[in-house]
Amino acid sequence: MANSIATYIALPGTAAEAFAHWHEVFGGTLDLMKYGDEGMPDMDFEVNPEGVAHAVLHAPGGDIAGSDGMPGEEYPLKDTAYSLLYTLDTPDDARMLIQKLLDGGGSENMPFEQAPWGGWYGQVFDRFGVMWAFSTD
């Protein structure tokens, strides 16, 4: 296996819904394993059998991995300290994905428009509070 890097997100009990939504928006293939799935080992902590133990969306351009967070821990997602940057070939490709996130309950954080460096850039929060930044040349 070649070296790679992927984003891993711990969600507050919404991983199944979030990964299904991202799969619908971005395409690719989705691998999702719940705590209650056959073959999962017993955990040393209380788990929801419907909770996501591990998910990976193999989207065009990269992978997004994640799970539901550990019981009793806080997982604030909506913040501007991070974003998932998706670089695309054309502004129209970016606009299409931005619109899918907005139609899915997201909100615009920064309009997608010509950037001072000559490309195009904008930001959207999806309905789960994850900020997606979009960039094109």
Side-chain angles (χ1 to χ4, degrees):
M1 178 175 166
N3 292 347
S4 68
I5 191 166
T7 299
Y8 195 96
I9 302 174
L11 293 136
T14 57
E17 184 184 356
F19 274 88
H21 179 62
W22 299 335
H23 184 223
E24 183 180 306
V25 170
F26 299 109
T29 58
L30 176 59
D31 300 320
L32 190 135
M33 182 178 10
K34 295 185 176 183
Y35 285 109
D37 287 351
E38 189 173 327
M40 277 294 295
D42 288 333
M43 299 289 130
D44 293 337
F45 50 89
E46 181 93 15
V47 295
N48 172 357
E50 289 301 307
V52 174
H54 183 66
V56 180
L57 175 60
H58 304 282
D63 294 341
I64 305 165
S67 66
D68 285 318
M70 302 305 291
E73 294 197 21
E74 300 258 339
Y75 292 91
L77 291 176
K78 190 165 185 177
D79 200 338
T80 56
Y82 77 94
S83 63
L84 302 181
L85 176 63
Y86 204 156
T87 302
L88 295 135
D89 290 333
T90 70
D92 286 341
D93 292 341
R95 284 188 196 97
M96 178 190 65
L97 294 176
I98 289 167
Q99 192 60 53
K100 284 183 176 183
L101 289 170
L102 294 173
D103 290 347
S107 61
E108 183 179 72
N109 189 54
M110 179 183 291
F112 184 74
E113 56 192 18
Q114 193 96 43
W117 56 86
W120 290 78
Y121 182 83
Q123 301 169 345
V124 175
F125 282 105
D126 68 19
R127 70 177 182 242
F128 305 99
V130 174
M131 184 165 57
W132 295 87
F134 293 89
S135 178
T136 68
D137 287 333

